[in-house]
Amino acid sequence: MVAIIRSGGIMLAGSEKKTVGEFLLDRLMEEGITEIFGIPGDYNFSLLDTIERYDGIRFINGRNELNAGYSADGYARVKGMAALITTFGVGEMSACNAVAGAYSENVPIIHIVGSPKSAEQKGKKLLHHTLMDGNYDVFRKVYEQISGYTAIVTPENAEMEIPRAIRIARETKKPVYIMVAIDLVPKQIISHKLPEPGPEKTNEHALKAALRHIQEMLGNSRQTAALVDMAVLRHNLSESVQALVEQYHIPAASLMQGKSGFDETHPQYIGMYGGAFGSDEVRTIIEEADCIIAAGLLQSDMNLSKYTAKLDPLKMIIIQPDSVQVGQAQYMNIKAEDLLKELRSIEYRQEELFTVSFPYEELQGEPGEPIAASSYYPRFQKMLREDDIVVVETGTFTYGMSQVRLPHGADYIGQGGWQSIGYAAPAAFGASMAAPDRRVVLFTGDGSLQLTFQEISSMLENGCKPIIFVLNNKGYTIEKILNVQTDEQKYNQIPVWQYTKLPDLFNVEAFTAEVRTNSDLETAIMKAGEECAERLCLIELLVEDPMDAPEYLNRLRSFLEEQKQQAEK
């Protein structure tokens, strides 16, 4: 039978029926997915062959499954959803950490696993890439713990299971797992004409009760403030939250895991709330407010700054995607978009706005002085442009870049909760593939990059042109700061690399620079701004003091030292 290529998939001559593989790709394309990350393996060949014949989606070959998972995560944060293909057993287990991170961070990834032939699975054959026990469901059960849904797809259930899995990923913002045997991918689906369930609706009675309670709380509030967190980003609530903040004329702060969820150039934005470690001005405004509207609040140790945050739950209106908590009362089955819309009908306006200072507004350090956290963060803030995608690695950059004021339209990508070292470089690759017309700026550390530097090869192979800053501070500085029990730990040391030589390893020309002084950095930033339109740029920051850190981290270190002293008394 002749295959006829058409936009959006393959249609077989003389038949309107789709194969399992084609049906899957059609559904992914409907979600805006045009690239699928992964690694080839002999149990996913039929999936990859289907992609090669498919018009509109291409396979992006990573350097390993872990990195491909990270890349899918970065892609999903920009486009809303991503897809990942691995092979059975060895492949899916290598991707586990990345998928668990996506679950922790509420990032929807469709993880597709190619498995052995269905007859061999039924016969419990002892095949390679298995545990040699005939159990072909063991890895899916592992993924049950780190996925919003798991499914074993066949021609008989594909029309039901594939849309269901994708819908769950879309609604819950969690990764989902789809396993399909290599011999079933090219089989035609058996159509059942099953209707897709409609979206869940807001409970109007609960909504009205919540609005009455909120109106009462606002009526007693002379000073109200807003906090913006991760769920605002994941559920596309930024515009609705900003409209409410503008109408109420109240100050708004972000939390560490919600950075870029509110326009940081907005006159009502006051910075990041970081408990005892962040800005004292922001802390005073938030903690002394009579009422706090907390949109998408995640009460993690990272967001609450080792639980030094003093947020009175009785003063809070906590808006979640499907519920709202007002003081101690919980109102369920309320869609956040509906609540935010109705809140604008409440007449409330705060007259006074607060004037705050931002940490990196003024350049620090003389041109000839060695670079340090106090001098390079203000220069990073100055160099960022509107609509940049800023990708930040776990480590000292996580804390320092959280204080950088982003330009209008910029997106911020970082693992504030999962914090898997090495995440950022592959995530930057995924973001570059998701938005080829936007500038991607990656901030990573020397230790982190040594884990996943291979994806620089993927960037170069696919024509990506990010600007990469590598902070060479002679090891795992973040771990040295957090460990107040011992000094000079050997396990926090790493081999010395020449990071500017990495593009040479991949035999592709790139712009590179080593910087030691503030003037070196300014020159490199200016040059990278010119060169990034044509090629990848890599700037290595050589810092003299391996314990140099931003103020937020210095405060955290002092807090940990005080805790240690208290414990020793």
Side-chain angles (χ1 to χ4, degrees), residues 439-459:
R439 191 175 76 161
V440 174
V441 187
L442 166 63
F443 296 91
T444 187
D446 50 353
S448 300
L449 191 58
Q450 288 194 13
L451 271 73
T452 54
F453 75 97
Q454 307 96 319
E455 294 317 304
I456 294 178
S457 170
S458 298
M459 296 174 186

Side-chain angles (χ1 to χ4, degrees), residues 268-546:
Q268 289 168 240
Y269 180 72
I270 59 173
M272 196 200 79
Y273 172 67
F277 313 139
S279 162
D280 292 330
E281 293 175 286
V282 176
R283 178 170 62 161
T284 299
I285 293 170
I286 295 299
E287 294 183 359
E288 292 185 359
D290 301 312
C291 176
I292 299 172
I293 300 173
L297 177 64
L298 178 67
Q299 300 191 57
S300 66
D301 63 341
M302 188 72 169
N303 271 341
L304 300 184
S305 305
K306 295 291 183 183
Y307 301 103
T308 63
K310 292 181 171 58
L311 301 175
D312 185 347
L314 295 179
K315 297 179 179 180
M316 297 184 72
I317 301 166
I318 303 175
I319 302 171
Q320 299 295 7
D322 299 300
S323 66
V324 60
Q325 181 176 334
V326 187
Q328 292 182 320
Q330 188 84 19
Y331 300 91
M332 306 303 295
N333 301 317
I334 297 175
K335 294 296 180 183
E337 54 267 32
D338 294 332
L339 176 63
L340 288 165
K341 180 181 177 181
E342 291 299 322
L343 282 177
R344 297 187 65 186
S345 65
I346 295 177
E347 291 187 11
Y348 179 87
R349 184 172 176 84
Q350 190 165 294
E351 295 305 320
E352 182 184 5
L353 268 183
F354 297 89
T355 301
V356 297
S357 58
F358 290 86
Y360 302 132
E361 293 293 294
E362 301 294 332
L363 291 184
Q364 302 291 325
E366 295 299 319
E369 290 179 351
I371 56 171
S374 60
S375 66
Y376 57 71
Y377 283 113
R379 286 167 171 82
F380 291 157
Q381 178 169 303
K382 185 179 178 182
M383 66 89 65
L384 293 176
R385 301 174 183 169
E386 288 193 2
D387 299 320
D388 275 351
I389 299 174
V390 180
V391 186
V392 178
E393 180 57 84
T394 294
T396 59
F397 268 146
T398 294
Y399 301 90
M401 290 303 296
S402 71
Q403 308 299 313
V404 166
R405 195 176 187 185
L406 299 174
H408 177 74
D411 286 320
Y412 186 90
I413 295 176
Q415 277 194 331
W418 188 243
Q419 294 192 16
S420 183
I421 182 173
Y423 161 83
F429 169 51
S432 297
M433 297 303 297
D437 296 330
R438 295 175 66 184
R439 191 175 76 161
V440 174
V441 187
L442 166 63
F443 296 91
T444 187
D446 50 353
S448 300
L449 191 58
Q450 288 194 13
L451 271 73
T452 54
F453 75 97
Q454 307 96 319
E455 294 317 304
I456 294 178
S457 170
S458 298
M459 296 174 186
L460 295 167
E461 180 71 18
N462 288 277
C464 303
K465 307 176 186 70
I467 299 176
I468 303 173
F469 289 93
V470 182
L471 180 59
N472 187 340
N473 49 14
K474 305 179 181 65
Y476 298 129
T477 294
I478 181 64
E479 308 294 358
K480 297 173 188 176
I481 289 173
L482 295 177
N483 185 351
V484 295
Q485 302 299 322
T486 59
D487 297 318
E488 303 295 332
Q489 308 100 0
K490 289 184 179 180
Y491 52 78
N492 281 326
Q493 299 173 5
I494 61 173
V496 177
W497 286 16
Q498 289 183 290
Y499 296 94
T500 54
K501 302 295 184 184
L502 288 176
D504 294 341
L505 175 65
F506 305 125
N507 199 31
V508 177
E509 184 181 357
F511 168 74
T512 62
E514 292 182 351
V515 301
R516 290 177 170 80
T517 66
N518 295 321
S519 60
D520 289 345
L521 178 56
E522 290 175 358
T523 300
I525 285 174
M526 181 181 67
K527 187 67 174 174
E530 299 168 353
E531 294 284 342
C532 66
E534 301 297 330
R535 52 182 176 160
L536 179 145
C537 301
L538 191 152
I539 299 170
E540 182 178 356
L541 309 170
L542 292 151
V543 179
E544 289 185 354
D545 180 6

Side-chain angles (χ1 to χ4, degrees), residues 3-12 17-36 45-59 85 162 166 185:
I4 302 173
I5 306 295
R6 292 193 176 179
S7 177
I10 300 173
M11 188 174 75
L12 298 178
K17 289 187 177 180
K18 299 278 186 172
T19 67
V20 172
E22 293 161 6
F23 182 79
L24 171 60
L25 296 180
D26 283 348
R27 301 292 78 75
L28 295 178
M29 197 167 179
E30 288 174 356
E31 300 296 324
I33 294 172
T34 52
E35 287 81 19
I36 300 178
F45 286 163
S46 58
L47 285 164
L48 302 187
D49 289 339
T50 304
I51 293 174
E52 288 201 348
R53 298 191 301 269
Y54 191 89
D55 181 20
I57 295 181
R58 57 177 175 151
F59 180 68
I85 289 181
I162 291 173
I166 293 173
V185 172

Side-chain angles (χ1 to χ4, degrees), residues 248-263:
Y248 287 1
H249 201 240
I250 59 177
S254 63
L255 287 157
M256 186 80 79
Q257 291 182 253
K259 187 170 177 64
S260 78
F262 195 91
D263 182 356

Side-chain angles (χ1 to χ4, degrees), residues 111 113 137 140 144 147 149-154 157 160-162 164-165 176-180:
H111 183 191
V113 177
D137 200 36
R140 185 195 63 80
E144 281 185 341
S147 302
Y149 187 72
T150 67
I152 300 174
V153 170
T154 66
N157 70 12
M160 175 179 66
E161 289 289 2
I162 291 173
R164 175 184 291 167
V176 296
Y177 174 100
I178 294 174
M179 187 172 77
V180 57

